[in-house]
Amino acid sequence: MTFYPFTSQAVVRSGIARVTLVGELDLDTAPFVREAVAECLAKQPTSLCLDLTGISFCDCAGLNALLTVRISALEAAVDLYVEGAGTQVARLLFLIGADDIFTEGNTLAKAKVAHSPSDTVATGHDAAGAIDQSPLRDLLA
């Protein structure tokens, strides 16, 4: 089994927040996700892009962190967009009936703005099947 160290990077630029996650999202790493998102939301962005492209594993604690991110975005009146949800994460969301609340909107161009090296970095952390009817099926490509 290959171990992928967890990293989170949060950037806010021009009112757009982007949190990029890489590695395994589990009990040990879920607090980093919540912290990165909280720091981004404190800067009062208009939208938040959660990039899950690099997530290799997600357990129930990671799933809880994603749902907490959704609630935090709703409370802050910030649009939340998910990018790159892989098969495993999409299946978990489908199984609990939450696949329709994490959608990839038309924000890819806006979210890419937050990739510039001159961005304000909010935080960064390092730590040691049946989806046919799901709206997330488009994210799996």
Side-chain angles (χ1 to χ4, degrees), residues 29-108:
T29 61
F32 297 130
V33 176
R34 290 188 291 270
E35 181 181 323
V37 169
E39 288 183 25
C40 283
L41 293 177
K43 296 180 184 284
Q44 300 178 333
T46 57
S47 64
L48 170 64
C49 177
L50 191 61
D51 184 354
L52 304 178
T53 305
I55 295 296
S56 58
F57 171 80
C58 183
D59 68 4
C60 60
L63 186 58
N64 185 40
L66 296 177
L67 294 171
T68 300
V69 166
R70 175 68 177 151
I71 292 168
S72 298
L74 286 171
E75 290 174 347
V78 171
D79 293 327
L80 174 65
Y81 302 96
V82 174
E83 185 176 294
T87 305
Q88 197 253 342
V89 174
R91 180 157 171 76
L92 282 176
L93 293 171
F94 173 78
L95 289 173
I96 67 164
D99 52 335
D100 61 340
I101 65 171
F102 289 97
T103 59
E104 184 172 354
N106 256 345
T107 63
L108 294 181

Coordinates of all heavy atoms in Angstrom, one line a residue, residues 29-108:
T29 N -6.1 14.0 9.1 CA -5.9 15.2 8.2 C -7.2 16.1 8.1 O -7.1 17.2 7.6 CB -5.5 14.7 6.8 OG1 -6.5 13.9 6.3 CG2 -4.2 14.0 6.9
A30 N -8.3 15.6 8.5 CA -9.6 16.4 8.3 C -9.5 17.8 9.0 O -10.0 18.7 8.5 CB -10.8 15.6 8.8
P31 N -8.9 17.9 10.2 CA -8.8 19.2 10.8 C -8.1 20.2 10.0 O -8.4 21.4 10.0 CB -8.0 18.9 12.1 CG -8.3 17.5 12.4 CD -8.3 16.8 11.1
F32 N -7.1 19.8 9.2 CA -6.4 20.7 8.3 C -7.3 21.3 7.2 O -7.1 22.5 6.8 CB -5.2 20.0 7.6 CG -4.1 19.6 8.6 CD1 -3.7 18.3 8.5 CD2 -3.6 20.4 9.6 CE1 -2.7 17.8 9.4 CE2 -2.6 20.0 10.5 CZ -2.2 18.7 10.4
V33 N -8.2 20.5 6.8 CA -9.2 21.0 5.8 C -10.1 22.0 6.4 O -10.3 23.1 5.8 CB -10.0 19.8 5.2 CG1 -11.1 20.3 4.2 CG2 -9.2 18.8 4.5
R34 N -10.6 21.7 7.5 CA -11.5 22.7 8.2 C -10.8 24.0 8.5 O -11.3 25.1 8.3 CB -12.1 22.1 9.4 CG -13.1 21.0 9.1 CD -13.8 20.5 10.4 NE -13.0 19.8 11.3 CZ -12.8 18.5 11.3 NH1 -13.4 17.7 10.4 NH2 -12.0 17.9 12.1
E35 N -9.5 23.9 8.9 CA -8.7 25.1 9.3 C -8.4 25.9 8.0 O -8.6 27.1 8.0 CB -7.4 24.6 9.9 CG -6.5 25.8 10.3 CD -5.2 25.3 11.0 OE1 -5.2 24.3 11.7 OE2 -4.2 26.0 10.7
A36 N -8.0 25.3 6.9 CA -7.7 26.0 5.7 C -8.9 26.7 5.2 O -8.9 27.9 4.8 CB -7.2 25.0 4.6
V37 N -10.1 26.1 5.2 CA -11.3 26.7 4.7 C -11.7 27.8 5.7 O -12.1 28.9 5.2 CB -12.5 25.6 4.6 CG1 -13.8 26.3 4.4 CG2 -12.1 24.7 3.5
A38 N -11.6 27.7 7.0 CA -12.0 28.7 7.9 C -11.1 30.0 7.7 O -11.6 31.1 7.7 CB -11.8 28.2 9.3
E39 N -9.8 29.8 7.4 CA -8.9 30.9 7.2 C -9.3 31.6 5.9 O -9.2 32.8 5.8 CB -7.5 30.4 7.2 CG -7.0 30.1 8.6 CD -5.5 29.7 8.6 OE1 -4.7 30.1 7.7 OE2 -5.1 29.0 9.5
C40 N -9.7 30.8 4.9 CA -10.1 31.4 3.6 C -11.4 32.2 3.8 O -11.5 33.4 3.3 CB -10.3 30.4 2.5 SG -8.8 29.7 1.8
L41 N -12.4 31.6 4.5 CA -13.7 32.3 4.7 C -13.5 33.6 5.5 O -14.3 34.5 5.4 CB -14.7 31.3 5.3 CG -15.1 30.2 4.4 CD1 -16.0 29.2 5.1 CD2 -15.7 30.7 3.1
A42 N -12.5 33.6 6.4 CA -12.3 34.8 7.2 C -11.9 36.0 6.3 O -12.1 37.2 6.7 CB -11.2 34.6 8.2
K43 N -11.4 35.7 5.1 CA -11.1 36.8 4.2 C -12.3 37.2 3.3 O -12.1 38.0 2.4 CB -9.9 36.4 3.3 CG -8.6 36.1 4.1 CD -7.5 35.7 3.2 CE -6.3 35.3 3.9 NZ -5.6 36.5 4.4
Q44 N -13.4 36.7 3.6 CA -14.7 37.0 2.9 C -14.7 36.9 1.4 O -15.0 37.9 0.7 CB -15.2 38.4 3.4 CG -15.4 38.4 4.9 CD -15.8 39.8 5.4 OE1 -15.5 40.8 4.8 NE2 -16.5 39.8 6.5
P45 N -14.3 35.7 0.9 CA -14.4 35.6 -0.6 C -15.8 35.5 -1.1 O -16.7 35.3 -0.3 CB -13.7 34.3 -0.8 CG -14.0 33.5 0.4 CD -14.0 34.5 1.5
T46 N -16.0 35.6 -2.4 CA -17.4 35.5 -2.9 C -17.6 34.0 -3.3 O -18.7 33.6 -3.4 CB -17.5 36.4 -4.2 OG1 -16.5 36.1 -5.1 CG2 -17.5 37.8 -3.8
S47 N -16.5 33.3 -3.6 CA -16.7 31.9 -3.9 C -15.5 31.1 -3.4 O -14.4 31.7 -3.2 CB -16.8 31.7 -5.4 OG -15.7 32.1 -6.1
L48 N -15.7 29.8 -3.2 CA -14.6 28.9 -2.7 C -14.6 27.7 -3.6 O -15.6 27.0 -3.9 CB -15.0 28.5 -1.3 CG -14.2 27.3 -0.7 CD1 -12.7 27.8 -0.5 CD2 -14.7 26.9 0.6
C49 N -13.4 27.4 -4.2 CA -13.2 26.2 -5.0 C -12.4 25.2 -4.1 O -11.3 25.5 -3.6 CB -12.4 26.6 -6.2 SG -12.1 25.1 -7.3
L50 N -13.0 24.0 -4.0 CA -12.3 22.9 -3.3 C -11.8 22.0 -4.3 O -12.6 21.3 -5.0 CB -13.4 22.3 -2.3 CG -12.8 21.3 -1.3 CD1 -11.9 22.0 -0.4 CD2 -14.0 20.7 -0.5
D51 N -10.5 21.9 -4.4 CA -9.8 21.0 -5.4 C -9.5 19.7 -4.8 O -8.6 19.6 -4.0 CB -8.6 21.7 -6.0 CG -7.9 20.9 -7.1 OD1 -8.4 19.8 -7.4 OD2 -7.0 21.5 -7.7
L52 N -10.2 18.7 -5.2 CA -10.0 17.3 -4.6 C -9.2 16.4 -5.6 O -9.1 15.2 -5.3 CB -11.4 16.7 -4.3 CG -12.3 17.5 -3.4 CD1 -13.6 16.7 -3.2 CD2 -11.6 17.7 -2.0
T53 N -8.7 17.0 -6.6 CA -8.0 16.2 -7.6 C -6.9 15.3 -7.0 O -6.7 14.1 -7.4 CB -7.3 17.1 -8.7 OG1 -8.3 17.9 -9.2 CG2 -6.7 16.3 -9.8
G54 N -6.2 15.7 -6.0 CA -5.1 15.0 -5.4 C -5.5 14.1 -4.3 O -4.6 13.4 -3.7
I55 N -6.8 13.9 -4.0 CA -7.2 13.1 -2.9 C -7.1 11.6 -3.3 O -7.8 11.2 -4.3 CB -8.6 13.4 -2.4 CG1 -8.6 14.8 -1.8 CG2 -9.1 12.4 -1.4 CD1 -7.7 14.9 -0.5
S56 N -6.3 10.8 -2.7 CA -6.2 9.4 -3.0 C -7.1 8.5 -2.2 O -7.3 7.3 -2.5 CB -4.7 9.0 -2.8 OG -4.3 9.2 -1.5
F57 N -7.6 9.0 -1.0 CA -8.4 8.2 -0.1 C -9.2 9.1 0.8 O -8.7 10.2 1.1 CB -7.5 7.3 0.8 CG -8.2 6.6 1.9 CD1 -9.0 5.5 1.6 CD2 -8.2 7.1 3.2 CE1 -9.7 4.8 2.6 CE2 -8.9 6.5 4.2 CZ -9.6 5.3 3.9
C58 N -10.4 8.7 1.1 CA -11.3 9.5 1.9 C -12.1 8.6 2.8 O -12.7 7.7 2.3 CB -12.2 10.4 1.1 SG -13.2 11.5 2.1
D59 N -12.0 8.8 4.1 CA -12.8 8.0 5.0 C -14.0 8.8 5.6 O -14.2 9.9 5.1 CB -12.0 7.3 6.1 CG -11.4 8.3 7.1 OD1 -11.8 9.6 7.0 OD2 -10.7 7.9 8.0
C60 N -14.7 8.3 6.6 CA -15.9 9.0 7.1 C -15.5 10.3 7.7 O -16.3 11.3 7.7 CB -16.7 8.1 8.0 SG -15.8 7.5 9.4
A61 N -14.3 10.4 8.3 CA -13.9 11.6 9.0 C -13.6 12.7 7.9 O -13.9 13.9 8.0 CB -12.7 11.4 9.8
G62 N -13.0 12.2 6.8 CA -12.8 13.1 5.6 C -14.1 13.6 5.0 O -14.3 14.8 4.7
L63 N -15.0 12.7 4.9 CA -16.4 13.0 4.4 C -17.1 14.0 5.3 O -17.7 15.0 4.8 CB -17.2 11.7 4.3 CG -18.6 11.8 3.7 CD1 -18.5 12.4 2.2 CD2 -19.2 10.5 3.7
N64 N -16.9 13.8 6.6 CA -17.5 14.8 7.6 C -16.8 16.2 7.4 O -17.5 17.2 7.4 CB -17.3 14.3 9.0 CG -17.9 15.2 10.0 OD1 -19.0 15.7 9.8 ND2 -17.3 15.4 11.1
A65 N -15.5 16.2 7.1 CA -14.8 17.5 6.9 C -15.4 18.2 5.6 O -15.6 19.4 5.6 CB -13.3 17.3 6.7
L66 N -15.7 17.4 4.6 CA -16.3 18.0 3.4 C -17.6 18.5 3.6 O -18.0 19.6 3.1 CB -16.3 16.9 2.2 CG -15.0 16.4 1.7 CD1 -15.2 15.3 0.7 CD2 -14.1 17.5 1.2
L67 N -18.4 17.8 4.4 CA -19.8 18.3 4.7 C -19.7 19.6 5.6 O -20.5 20.5 5.4 CB -20.6 17.2 5.4 CG -20.9 16.0 4.5 CD1 -21.5 14.9 5.3 CD2 -21.8 16.4 3.3
T68 N -18.7 19.6 6.5 CA -18.5 20.8 7.3 C -18.1 22.0 6.5 O -18.6 23.1 6.7 CB -17.4 20.5 8.4 OG1 -17.9 19.4 9.2 CG2 -17.2 21.7 9.3
V69 N -17.3 21.7 5.5 CA -16.9 22.8 4.5 C -18.1 23.4 3.8 O -18.3 24.6 3.7 CB -15.9 22.3 3.5 CG1 -15.8 23.3 2.3 CG2 -14.5 22.0 4.1
R70 N -19.0 22.5 3.4 CA -20.3 22.9 2.8 C -21.1 23.8 3.7 O -21.6 24.8 3.3 CB -21.1 21.7 2.3 CG -22.4 22.0 1.7 CD -22.3 22.7 0.4 NE -23.6 22.8 -0.1 CZ -24.0 23.8 -0.9 NH1 -23.1 24.7 -1.3 NH2 -25.2 23.9 -1.4
I71 N -21.3 23.3 4.9 CA -22.0 24.1 5.9 C -21.4 25.5 6.2 O -22.1 26.5 6.2 CB -22.2 23.3 7.2 CG1 -23.1 22.1 7.0 CG2 -22.8 24.2 8.3 CD1 -23.1 21.1 8.1
S72 N -20.1 25.5 6.3 CA -19.4 26.8 6.5 C -19.5 27.7 5.4 O -19.7 28.9 5.6 CB -17.9 26.5 6.8 OG -17.7 25.7 7.9
A73 N -19.5 27.2 4.2 CA -19.7 28.0 3.0 C -21.1 28.6 2.9 O -21.3 29.8 2.6 CB -19.4 27.2 1.7
L74 N -22.1 27.8 3.3 CA -23.5 28.2 3.3 C -23.7 29.3 4.3 O -24.3 30.3 4.1 CB -24.4 27.1 3.6 CG -24.7 26.1 2.4 CD1 -25.5 24.9 2.9 CD2 -25.4 26.8 1.3
E75 N -23.1 29.1 5.5 CA -23.2 30.1 6.6 C -22.6 31.4 6.2 O -23.0 32.5 6.6 CB -22.6 29.6 7.9 CG -23.5 28.5 8.5 CD -22.8 27.8 9.7 OE1 -21.6 28.0 10.0 OE2 -23.5 27.1 10.4
A76 N -21.5 31.4 5.5 CA -20.8 32.6 5.0 C -21.3 33.1 3.7 O -20.8 34.2 3.3 CB -19.3 32.2 4.8
A77 N -22.4 32.5 3.2 CA -23.0 33.0 1.9 C -22.0 33.0 0.8 O -21.9 33.9 0.0 CB -23.7 34.3 2.1
V78 N -21.1 32.0 0.8 CA -20.1 31.8 -0.3 C -20.5 30.6 -1.2 O -20.8 29.6 -0.7 CB -18.7 31.6 0.4 CG1 -17.7 31.3 -0.6 CG2 -18.3 32.8 1.2
D79 N -20.4 30.8 -2.5 CA -20.6 29.7 -3.4 C -19.5 28.7 -3.3 O -18.3 29.1 -3.3 CB -20.7 30.2 -4.8 CG -21.9 31.1 -5.1 OD1 -22.9 30.9 -4.5 OD2 -21.7 32.1 -5.9
L80 N -19.8 27.5 -3.2 CA -18.8 26.4 -3.1 C -18.8 25.6 -4.3 O -19.9 25.1 -4.8 CB -19.1 25.5 -1.9 CG -18.2 24.2 -1.7 CD1 -16.8 24.7 -1.4 CD2 -18.7 23.3 -0.7
Y81 N -17.6 25.4 -4.9 CA -17.5 24.6 -6.1 C -16.4 23.5 -5.8 O -15.4 23.8 -5.2 CB -17.1 25.4 -7.3 CG -18.1 26.5 -7.6 CD1 -17.9 27.8 -7.1 CD2 -19.2 26.2 -8.3 CE1 -18.8 28.8 -7.3 CE2 -20.1 27.2 -8.5 CZ -19.9 28.5 -8.1 OH -20.9 29.4 -8.3
V82 N -16.7 22.3 -6.3 CA -15.7 21.2 -6.1 C -15.2 20.9 -7.5 O -15.8 20.8 -8.5 CB -16.5 20.0 -5.5 CG1 -15.5 18.8 -5.5 CG2 -17.0 20.3 -4.2
E83 N -13.9 20.6 -7.5 CA -13.1 20.3 -8.7 C -12.4 19.0 -8.5 O -11.7 18.8 -7.4 CB -12.2 21.4 -9.0 CG -11.4 21.4 -10.2 CD -10.6 22.6 -10.4 OE1 -11.1 23.7 -10.6 OE2 -9.3 22.5 -10.4
G84 N -12.5 18.1 -9.4 CA -11.7 16.9 -9.4 C -12.0 15.8 -8.4 O -11.1 15.1 -8.0
A85 N -13.3 15.7 -8.0 CA -13.7 14.6 -7.1 C -13.5 13.3 -7.8 O -14.1 13.0 -8.8 CB -15.1 14.7 -6.6
G86 N -12.6 12.4 -7.3 CA -12.4 11.1 -7.9 C -13.5 10.1 -7.6 O -14.4 10.4 -6.9
T87 N -13.3 8.9 -8.1 CA -14.3 7.9 -8.1 C -14.6 7.6 -6.6 O -15.8 7.4 -6.2 CB -13.8 6.6 -8.8 OG1 -13.5 7.0 -10.1 CG2 -14.9 5.6 -8.8
Q88 N -13.6 7.4 -5.8 CA -13.9 7.0 -4.4 C -14.7 8.1 -3.6 O -15.6 7.7 -2.9 CB -12.5 6.7 -3.7 CG -12.6 5.9 -2.4 CD -12.4 6.7 -1.2 OE1 -11.8 7.8 -1.2 NE2 -12.8 6.2 -0.1
V89 N -14.3 9.3 -3.7 CA -15.0 10.4 -3.0 C -16.4 10.5 -3.6 O -17.4 10.6 -2.8 CB -14.2 11.7 -3.2 CG1 -15.0 12.9 -2.6 CG2 -12.9 11.6 -2.5
A90 N -16.5 10.5 -4.9 CA -17.9 10.6 -5.5 C -18.8 9.4 -5.1 O -20.0 9.6 -4.8 CB -17.7 10.5 -7.1
R91 N -18.2 8.2 -4.9 CA -19.0 7.1 -4.5 C -19.5 7.3 -3.0 O -20.6 7.0 -2.7 CB -18.3 5.8 -4.6 CG -19.1 4.6 -4.1 CD -18.6 3.3 -4.7 NE -19.2 2.2 -4.1 CZ -20.4 1.7 -4.4 NH1 -21.2 2.4 -5.2 NH2 -20.9 0.7 -3.8
L92 N -18.6 7.8 -2.2 CA -19.0 8.1 -0.8 C -20.1 9.1 -0.7 O -21.1 8.9 0.0 CB -17.8 8.6 0.0 CG -16.8 7.6 0.5 CD1 -15.6 8.4 1.2 CD2 -17.4 6.6 1.4
L93 N -20.0 10.1 -1.5 CA -21.1 11.2 -1.5 C -22.4 10.6 -2.1 O -23.4 10.9 -1.5 CB -20.6 12.4 -2.4 CG -19.4 13.2 -1.8 CD1 -18.9 14.2 -2.8 CD2 -19.8 13.9 -0.5
F94 N -22.3 9.8 -3.1 CA -23.5 9.1 -3.6 C -24.1 8.2 -2.6 O -25.4 8.3 -2.4 CB -23.1 8.3 -4.9 CG -24.2 7.5 -5.4 CD1 -25.2 8.1 -6.2 CD2 -24.3 6.2 -5.2 CE1 -26.3 7.4 -6.7 CE2 -25.4 5.4 -5.7 CZ -26.4 6.0 -6.4
L95 N -23.4 7.4 -1.9 CA -23.9 6.5 -0.9 C -24.7 7.2 0.2 O -25.6 6.6 0.8 CB -22.8 5.6 -0.4 CG -22.3 4.6 -1.4 CD1 -21.1 3.8 -0.8 CD2 -23.3 3.6 -1.8
I96 N -24.2 8.4 0.6 CA -24.9 9.1 1.7 C -26.0 10.1 1.1 O -26.6 10.8 1.9 CB -24.0 9.8 2.6 CG1 -23.2 10.9 1.9 CG2 -23.0 8.8 3.3 CD1 -22.6 11.9 2.9
G97 N -26.1 10.1 -0.2 CA -27.1 11.0 -0.8 C -26.7 12.5 -0.8 O -27.5 13.4 -0.9
A98 N -25.4 12.7 -0.8 CA -24.9 14.1 -0.8 C -24.2 14.5 -2.1 O -23.6 15.5 -2.2 CB -23.9 14.3 0.4
D99 N -24.4 13.6 -3.1 CA -23.7 13.9 -4.4 C -24.2 15.2 -5.1 O -23.5 15.8 -5.8 CB -23.7 12.7 -5.3 CG -25.1 12.2 -5.5 OD1 -26.0 12.4 -4.6 OD2 -25.4 11.5 -6.5
D100 N -25.4 15.5 -4.8 CA -26.0 16.7 -5.5 C -25.6 18.0 -4.8 O -25.8 19.1 -5.4 CB -27.5 16.6 -5.7 CG -28.2 16.5 -4.3 OD1 -27.6 16.2 -3.3 OD2 -29.4 16.8 -4.3
I101 N -25.0 18.0 -3.7 CA -24.6 19.3 -3.0 C -23.2 19.7 -3.3 O -22.8 20.8 -3.0 CB -24.9 19.2 -1.5 CG1 -24.0 18.2 -0.8 CG2 -26.3 19.0 -1.2 CD1 -24.0 18.3 0.7
F102 N -22.4 18.8 -3.9 CA -21.0 19.2 -4.3 C -21.0 19.1 -5.8 O -20.8 18.1 -6.4 CB -20.0 18.2 -3.7 CG -19.9 18.3 -2.2 CD1 -20.6 17.5 -1.4 CD2 -19.0 19.3 -1.7 CE1 -20.4 17.6 0.0 CE2 -18.8 19.4 -0.3 CZ -19.5 18.6 0.5
T103 N -21.2 20.2 -6.4 CA -21.3 20.3 -7.9 C -20.1 21.1 -8.4 O -19.7 22.1 -7.8 CB -22.6 20.8 -8.4 OG1 -22.8 22.1 -7.9 CG2 -23.8 19.9 -8.0
E104 N -19.7 20.7 -9.6 CA -18.7 21.5 -10.3 C -19.4 22.5 -11.2 O -20.0 22.1 -12.2 CB -17.7 20.6 -11.1 CG -16.6 21.4 -11.7 CD -15.6 20.4 -12.4 OE1 -15.7 19.2 -12.2 OE2 -14.7 21.0 -13.0
G105 N -19.3 23.8 -10.8 CA -20.0 24.8 -11.6 C -19.2 25.4 -12.7 O -18.1 24.8 -13.0
N106 N -19.6 26.4 -13.2 CA -18.9 27.1 -14.3 C -17.9 28.1 -13.8 O -17.8 29.2 -14.2 CB -19.9 27.9 -15.1 CG -20.3 27.3 -16.4 OD1 -19.6 26.4 -16.8 ND2 -21.3 27.8 -17.0
T107 N -17.1 27.6 -12.8 CA -16.1 28.5 -12.2 C -14.7 28.1 -12.4 O -13.8 28.7 -11.8 CB -16.3 28.5 -10.6 OG1 -16.1 27.2 -10.2 CG2 -17.7 28.9 -10.3
L108 N -14.4 27.2 -13.3 CA -13.1 26.8 -13.5 C -12.2 27.9 -14.0 O -11.1 28.0 -13.5 CB -13.0 25.7 -14.6 CG -13.7 24.4 -14.1 CD1 -13.6 23.3 -15.2 CD2 -13.1 23.9 -12.9

